């Protein structure tokens, strides 16, 4: 700034001298020299002025960045604060009973509950192994969760019809990213494997090395399976709550349909397991025919007599997803074992058998999917339920592809990522069921889907207990640090409707 003033002063002095110094020795005015000096000083002034503007712009950027960093720090503190709160465990039976009443308020319940579940998901994703959290797709999913948390916490309390409608629109917007986030996080593991493969200096057989990396990643990240189970269990719960509310809101507006009286949102009070199996079989065969041009035969039987099969309250969409994944795997194994390319003639292929055990006297309902697709080696039985393991192969060309190009090859959701079976097991276990596999190498595989009737989520209870233990350890650590520092001051947290007990489900005998 001082230099700029000096140049301005020199320019004015030169202009003044130009006016007073009128002649040379020969009596002529040195106009050219005066103009040249004036132009040079003018250019220097323009350069300094430009630099001053750049310095001001840089200063504004730095101030903006400091403000952004401060906001991010405050936001992460707020996320940790919300994540420390207890979630409300889901009980499908109680939820169905509450939703029967006209005065249920799922929107108020979700306005309080969803920010907690999203904050927990952000916290879980951020504390996964470093190699996985640094992947591009993993960081993208975390940013989506932070955006979701921001939208939920900034949403107004839906205590009027207009606000309730706006909140429902917000949930529809959030739900669009739900399935995409599962696939994208699966890409994060794929990217981690690809990086491990690319780090090999000399690879003679990439297919063989890819198989080794599938086993190596399980050894190097032993806790990742459990952490992903907890993460996806929480996202399944949040996704179900969102879809349940959207479905109920839609049922209010549209005229009654045939069979709609059996549904309360996504929950069917009279779920026919045999009917769900028929729908899954039809879809799986269609997908198989699109990919291979043919499909093995699938035989569906049930142990109960016609009209005597028990019907239970459940979520048909969850059951359809599980059965579809099991049938898709059986069809693929059968074709690759007994049919040859390119025609894939399935006329002599052994059929796949699906047995539904839905007799009323049974404590649990079960579905058995049996194939003769060659079975699974005993060494791989412990790996088939792992997110890190997949039987899909990657070629040398696929390894060098960009992420977007790789994603375009997988037209079927979760294809090739190895997420089908572990996610299916989570869906089964989410409401007191289970999914198990038994296999005979060289012969075939039997998959058993068990469905409980209590419909209580063991994962929800486990997640709550885990959060309590983490909260206890965090408070002990904070107490120890405050004593070391000689202060017990807590970080300032902005007020939040999450602390309002007026519409908390825990503060009322009836919720949502």
């Amino acid at each position: 700034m001082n230099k700029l003033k000096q140049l301005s002063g020199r320019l004015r002095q030169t202009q003044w001298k130009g006016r007073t110094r009128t002649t040379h020795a020969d009596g002529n005015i040195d106009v050219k020299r005066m103009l040249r000096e004036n132009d040079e000083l003018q250019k220097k002034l323009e350069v300094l002025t430009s630099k001053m503007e750049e310095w001001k712009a840089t200063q504004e950027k730095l101030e903006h960045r400091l403000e952004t960093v401060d906001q991010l720090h405050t936001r992460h503190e707020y996320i940790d604060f919300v994540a420390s709160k207890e979630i409300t465990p889901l009980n499908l039976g109680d939820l169905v009973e509450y939703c029967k009443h006209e005065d249920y308020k799922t929107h108020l319940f979700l306005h309080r509950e969803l920010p907690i579940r999203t904050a927990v998901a952000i916290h879980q994703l951020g504390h996964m192994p470093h190699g996985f959290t640094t992947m591009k797709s993993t960081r993208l999913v975390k940013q989506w969760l932070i955006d979701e948390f921001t939208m939920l916490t900034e949403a107004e309390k839906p205590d009027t019809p207009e606000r309730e409608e706006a909140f429902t629109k917000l949930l529809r917007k959030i739900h669009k990213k739900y399935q995409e986030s599962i696939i994208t996080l699966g890409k994060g593991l794929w990217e981690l494997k690809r990086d491990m493969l690319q780090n090999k200096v000399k690879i003679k057989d990439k297919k063989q090395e890819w198989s080794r990396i599938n086993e190596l990643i399980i050894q190097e990240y032993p806790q990742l399976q459990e952490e992903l189970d907890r993460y996806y269990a929480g996202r399944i719960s949040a996704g179900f709550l969102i879809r349940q509310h959207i479905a109920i809101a839609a049922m209010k507006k549209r005229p009654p349909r045939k069979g709609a009286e059996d549904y309360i949102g996504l929950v069917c009070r009279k779920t026919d397991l045999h009917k769900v199996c028929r729908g899954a079989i039809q879809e799986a065969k269609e997908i198989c025919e699109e990919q291979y041009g043919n499909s093995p035969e699938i035989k569906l039987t049930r142990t109960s007599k016609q009209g005597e099969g028990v019907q239970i309250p459940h979520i048909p969409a969850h059951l359809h997803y599980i059965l579809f994944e099991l049938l898709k795997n059986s069809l693929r194994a059968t074709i690759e074992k007994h049919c040859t390319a390119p025609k894939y003639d399935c006329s002599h292929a052994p059929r796949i058998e699906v047995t539904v055990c839905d007799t009323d006297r049974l404590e649990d309902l079960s579905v058995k999917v049996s194939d003769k697709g060659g079975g699974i080696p005993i060494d791989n039985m412990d790996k088939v339920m792992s997110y890190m393991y997949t039987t899909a192969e990657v070629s040398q060309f696929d390894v060098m592809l960009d992420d977007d190009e790789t994603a375009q090859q997988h037209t079927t959701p979760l294809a090739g990522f190895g997420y089908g079976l572990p996610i299916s097991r989570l869906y089964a276990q989410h409401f007191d069921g289970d999914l198990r596999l038994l296999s005979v190498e060289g012969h075939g595989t039997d998959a058993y889907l068990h469905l409980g009737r209590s419909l209580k989520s063991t994962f929800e209870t486990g997640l709550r207990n885990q959060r309590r233990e983490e909260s206890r350890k965090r408070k002990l650590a904070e107490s120890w640090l405050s004593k070391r520092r000689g202060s017990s001051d807590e970080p300032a947290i902005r007020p939040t409707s999450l602390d309002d007990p007026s519409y908390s489900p825990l503060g009322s005998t009836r919720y949502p």
Side-chain angles (χ1 to χ4, degrees):
M1 181 62 74
N2 294 332
K3 193 173 182 180
L4 182 63
K5 290 180 179 180
Q6 292 175 4
L7 284 172
S8 300
R10 286 182 61 188
L11 179 62
R12 286 194 295 269
Q13 291 175 7
T14 302
Q15 291 173 344
W16 175 257
K17 290 178 182 179
R19 288 193 295 270
T20 57
R21 187 175 59 193
T22 57
T23 62
H24 279 286
D26 56 0
N28 295 325
I29 299 175
D30 192 358
V31 178
K32 292 183 179 180
R33 179 183 176 186
M34 181 180 66
L35 291 176
R36 186 168 59 251
E37 290 180 354
N38 186 41
D39 291 342
E40 290 176 357
L41 289 173
Q42 189 70 35
K43 290 178 181 179
K44 290 181 179 180
L45 180 62
E46 291 176 357
V47 171
L48 285 175
T49 304
S50 176
K51 287 184 178 181
M52 283 293 298
E53 293 177 354
E54 290 178 1
W55 292 338
K56 288 182 180 179
T58 304
Q59 184 180 4
E60 291 177 357
K61 288 180 180 179
L62 287 174
E63 291 176 352
H64 178 69
R65 286 190 65 181
L66 288 173
E67 184 179 354
T68 303
V69 169
D70 185 58
Q71 290 177 353
L72 287 173
H73 180 70
T74 304
R75 183 169 62 181
H76 284 297
E77 277 190 343
Y78 185 51
I79 290 173
D80 291 339
F81 166 71
V82 176
S84 66
K85 293 181 172 292
E86 288 191 8
I87 64 170
T88 305
L90 285 178
N91 186 322
L92 189 58
D94 292 343
L95 187 63
V96 170
E97 289 298 320
Y98 291 130
C99 290
K100 288 180 181 178
H101 301 281
E102 293 289 337
D103 57 345
Y104 63 85
K105 299 177 180 179
T106 55
H107 47 284
L108 294 179
F109 171 65
L110 295 185
H111 187 256
R112 178 194 183 277
E113 185 71 13
L114 288 178
I116 300 177
R117 291 177 178 268
T118 306
V120 169
I122 296 171
H123 192 270
Q124 289 173 335
L125 200 58
H127 286 76
M128 288 186 184
H130 176 70
F132 177 61
T133 56
T134 56
M135 294 296 104
K136 177 182 176 182
S137 296
T138 308
R139 288 187 280 110
L140 179 60
V141 172
K142 186 176 180 181
Q143 186 58 51
W144 287 347
L145 289 172
I146 293 174
D147 294 341
E148 176 183 326
F149 177 83
T150 303
M151 289 187 291
L152 287 170
T153 52
E154 291 179 353
E156 294 181 314
K157 181 178 177 180
D159 51 3
T160 64
E162 294 77 14
R163 291 180 178 179
E164 180 183 351
E165 180 65 26
F167 186 67
T168 303
K169 289 182 179 179
L170 174 62
L171 294 185
R172 290 195 185 99
K173 179 180 179 180
I174 291 174
H175 181 254
K176 290 180 180 179
K177 286 284 185 183
Y178 173 75
Q179 185 67 22
E180 186 179 356
S181 67
I182 295 179
I183 300 173
T184 305
L185 197 59
K187 278 183 61 184
L189 273 177
W190 187 276
E191 292 166 3
L192 180 60
K193 294 178 186 178
R194 191 179 64 175
D195 284 359
M196 294 173 69
L197 184 59
Q198 289 177 338
N199 288 337
K200 302 289 184 180
V201 180
K202 294 181 180 179
I203 302 177
K204 295 181 180 180
D205 188 348
K206 287 188 177 291
K207 289 186 178 181
Q208 184 178 0
E209 192 64 32
W210 177 255
S211 178
R212 291 176 184 174
I213 284 177
N214 278 327
E215 299 178 2
L216 182 63
I217 194 172
I218 297 176
Q219 297 173 3
E220 292 192 1
Y221 300 93
Q223 298 179 347
L224 187 56
Q225 175 72 22
E226 185 179 350
E227 292 174 354
L228 284 173
D229 269 342
R230 287 197 295 264
Y231 170 80
Y232 280 121
R235 298 314 294 163
I236 287 173
S237 297
F240 165 71
L241 287 172
I242 292 174
R243 293 195 303 272
Q244 175 75 357
H245 173 76
I246 293 173
I248 291 175
M251 291 176 66
K252 287 181 179 180
K253 296 182 178 181
R254 66 184 179 217
R257 299 179 181 178
K258 185 178 180 180
E261 64 277 2
D262 295 333
Y263 279 85
I264 300 177
L266 297 176
V267 182
C268 180
R269 291 178 290 182
K270 298 179 180 179
T271 303
D272 187 344
L273 194 52
H274 186 265
K275 183 178 180 181
V276 176
C277 285
R278 286 203 308 267
I281 289 172
Q282 181 179 355
E283 183 177 356
K285 291 190 70 173
E286 289 176 356
I287 295 293
C288 183
E289 290 172 357
E290 287 179 5
Q291 184 169 353
Y292 295 101
N294 210 334
S295 173
E297 180 186 354
I298 301 179
K299 181 183 178 182
L300 175 61
T301 58
R302 67 192 307 178
T303 57
S304 62
K305 296 180 181 179
Q306 184 68 26
E308 295 183 2
V310 66
Q311 296 177 336
I312 60 171
H314 217 288
I315 307 170
H318 287 190
L319 299 178
H320 179 94
Y321 175 86
I322 298 170
L323 292 166
F324 171 74
E325 286 295 331
L326 295 177
L327 290 166
K328 187 177 67 174
N329 291 341
S330 293
L331 287 169
R332 177 187 169 191
T334 301
I335 284 183
E336 293 182 354
K337 174 71 175 178
H338 300 280
C339 306
T340 56
K343 294 185 178 180
Y344 294 106
D345 183 13
C346 299
S347 57
H348 300 291
R351 66 188 179 189
I352 298 169
E353 296 185 359
V354 180
T355 306
V356 180
C357 301
D358 58 350
T359 309
D360 188 36
R361 64 179 180 272
L362 298 176
E363 182 178 351
D364 295 329
L365 305 186
S366 303
V367 179
K368 175 185 175 183
V369 179
S370 180
D371 66 64
K372 297 179 181 178
I376 303 171
I378 191 169
D379 293 339
N380 292 341
M381 281 301 296
D382 295 335
K383 305 172 187 175
V384 292
M385 290 294 181
S386 173
Y387 299 97
M388 286 78 77
Y389 182 79
T390 176
T391 57
E393 297 180 352
V394 58
S395 65
Q396 182 177 356
F397 178 71
D398 291 332
V399 172
M400 304 307 295
L401 282 175
D402 292 333
D403 298 336
D404 294 337
E405 295 176 358
T406 306
Q408 291 174 3
Q409 295 183 359
H410 301 288
T411 55
T412 304
L414 309 183
F417 291 121
Y419 269 39
L421 285 178
I423 292 291
S424 296
R425 184 176 63 173
L426 277 183
Y427 272 119
Q429 292 177 338
H430 199 68
F431 292 113
D432 203 26
D434 201 2
L435 176 62
R436 299 179 183 180
L437 297 181
L438 292 177
S439 184
V440 178
E441 186 177 1
H443 179 69
T445 303
D446 294 340
Y448 297 89
L449 171 62
H450 301 285
L451 303 177
R453 299 194 186 192
S454 63
L455 299 181
K456 294 181 179 179
S457 175
T458 55
F459 262 91
E460 289 282 308
T461 306
L463 181 60
R464 181 180 65 172
N465 294 338
Q466 179 205 0
R467 296 304 302 165
R468 283 179 174 175
E469 182 64 17
E470 290 178 355
S471 177
R472 184 185 68 83
K473 291 180 180 179
R474 185 163 51 250
K475 287 179 181 178
L476 286 174
E478 291 174 355
S479 175
W480 181 81
L481 286 174
S482 64
K483 289 179 181 178
R484 288 288 301 270
R485 295 170 181 168
S487 172
S488 59
D489 296 337
E490 297 182 358
I493 302 296
R494 63 185 176 88
T496 168
S497 60
L498 296 171
D499 298 316
D500 182 5
S502 63
Y503 64 104
S504 166
L506 300 178
S508 172
T509 57
R510 294 186 61 183
Y511 69 89

